[in-house]
Every structure is written in structure tokens, then in C-alpha cells.
Amino acid sequence: MDLKEKIEVILEEIKKNPNIKEDFEKNPTKVIEKFVGVDLPDEIVDKIVDGVKAKITVDNVSKIAGALKDLF
């Protein structure tokens, strides 16, 4: 299983659907397992959750930086 690929797929769905983002914030493990379609070992799910959270954080920081850049 390609973790990077799964992270990207989940991230795209979270960006497109605010309900999925809300569900991810409440119970990330459940959302990950729903997208993967199988019950994975906790260490794999944790890696995917961490990867998605990291990408969300980076994307949010980029948006903020872009907005600040436009002010100057």
C-alpha cells in the first residue's frame, strides 16, 4: 500500500467536502479506514492520519502566507 497516495486521496476529499473535514477532525481513524476500505493496523492508520494532518497544516500556512503577501 502506498501511504503517500492514500494521504493525497484523503486530502483531496477533505478539501472538496467540508463534512469529511469535520468528520476527520472528530475521528480521523474512522475516516481513514472508510477511505482505505479495510481495517488496518493502528500504526499504519496513525501514519496516514499524521500525514494528512501535516498536509492540511502546510496548506493552511501557505494560504495565510499568500494572503499576507497580497497585503504588501
Side-chain angles (χ1 to χ4, degrees):
M1 171 182 302
D2 184 7
L3 293 180
K4 288 176 97 175
E5 180 182 322
K6 292 295 181 188
I7 289 169
E8 291 299 323
V9 168
I10 294 165
L11 185 62
E12 287 303 314
E13 289 299 320
I14 287 171
K15 286 180 180 179
K16 289 191 293 189
N17 188 333
N19 293 331
I20 294 174
K21 182 177 181 181
E22 185 178 318
D23 290 345
F24 181 79
E25 290 169 354
K26 291 178 185 175
N27 190 346
T29 302
K30 182 179 174 183
V31 172
I32 299 300
E33 287 180 343
K34 175 183 165 188
F35 276 97
V36 174
V38 293
D39 188 23
L40 296 171
D42 289 345
E43 60 272 4
I44 302 238
V45 172
D46 291 343
K47 287 180 183 179
I48 296 173
V49 168
D50 291 343
V52 171
K53 285 181 178 179
K55 290 288 248 176
I56 289 171
T57 301
V58 168
D59 287 349
N60 287 338
V61 169
S62 294
K63 287 178 187 174
I64 292 169
L68 290 174
K69 184 177 111 184
D70 291 341
L71 292 175
F72 298 102

